[in-house]
């Protein structure tokens, strides 16, 4: 008689928690706004659209859309950790721009938003791993 093998455990298997889902859906909206209306977003953040090229915000919007799509499709701890790294690096670059008086308010707001995404992804990584082990 042939012994049955237990199915291999998929490394990094995760589960999308409701909180993570809401966060990533919010990221989709944010990315869409940055892509569709970068100048308006910049004005709301207290910036001058003439000082920051719309292309930069559109690229950032695409990054957020791709990141949200990946995390919604593959909510693994590893994917959320990678997202946290991307958002953390973004926050650090925004902090570096605080030295520029003309961009200070926008840089502070952007750093706060990116820090929020970093925390969200870090928490989601730990929860996705915990739920995947159940």
């Amino acid at each position: 008689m042939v012994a049955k093998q237990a199915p291999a455990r998929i490394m990094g298997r995760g589960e999308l928690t409701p909180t993570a889902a809401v966060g990533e859906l919010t990221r989709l909206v944010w990315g869409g706004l940055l892509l569709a209306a970068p100048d308006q977003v910049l004005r709301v953040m207290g910036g001058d659209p003439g000082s920051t090229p719309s292309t930069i915000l559109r690229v950032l919007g695409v990054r957020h859309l791709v990141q949200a799509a990946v995390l919604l499709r593959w909510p693994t701890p590893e994917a959320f950790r990678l997202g946290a790294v991307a958002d953390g690096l973004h926050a650090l670059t925004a902090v570096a721009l605080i030295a520029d008086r003309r961009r200070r308010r926008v840089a502070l707001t952007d750093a706060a938003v990116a820090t929020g995404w970093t925390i969200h992804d870090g928490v989601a990584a730990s929860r996705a791993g915990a739920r995947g082990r159940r």
Side-chain angles (χ1 to χ4, degrees):
M1 177 170 237
V2 176
K4 286 186 177 180
Q5 285 185 324
R9 183 170 181 265
I10 298 171
M11 289 302 296
R13 185 179 204 171
E15 186 177 324
L16 187 63
T17 65
T19 303
V22 168
E24 294 313 316
L25 291 173
T26 303
R27 186 190 299 271
L28 280 174
V29 171
W30 179 242
L33 284 171
L34 291 173
L35 186 62
D39 292 342
Q40 291 82 348
V41 171
L42 197 57
R43 276 190 201 94
V44 168
M45 291 173 67
D48 174 26
S51 69
T52 303
S54 299
T55 306
I56 292 172
L57 295 177
R58 285 192 172 107
V59 168
L60 180 59
V62 169
R63 197 264 296 171
H64 278 297
L65 290 172
V66 169
Q67 186 173 344
V70 167
L71 292 173
L72 286 167
R73 175 67 178 96
W74 296 287
T76 65
E78 294 82 6
F80 278 110
R81 278 189 216 102
L82 255 147
V85 168
D87 291 319
L89 290 172
H90 180 145
L92 288 173
T93 60
V95 167
L97 292 174
I98 292 172
D100 182 350
R101 284 180 169 249
R102 294 173 300 139
R103 295 188 175 125
R104 185 167 292 151
R105 184 172 172 193
V106 172
L108 283 168
T109 304
D110 192 39
V113 170
T115 299
W117 290 123
T118 303
I119 293 166
H120 162 77
D121 287 347
V123 170
S126 65
R127 290 185 179 167
R131 292 188 76 150
R133 287 188 296 270
R134 288 184 190 168

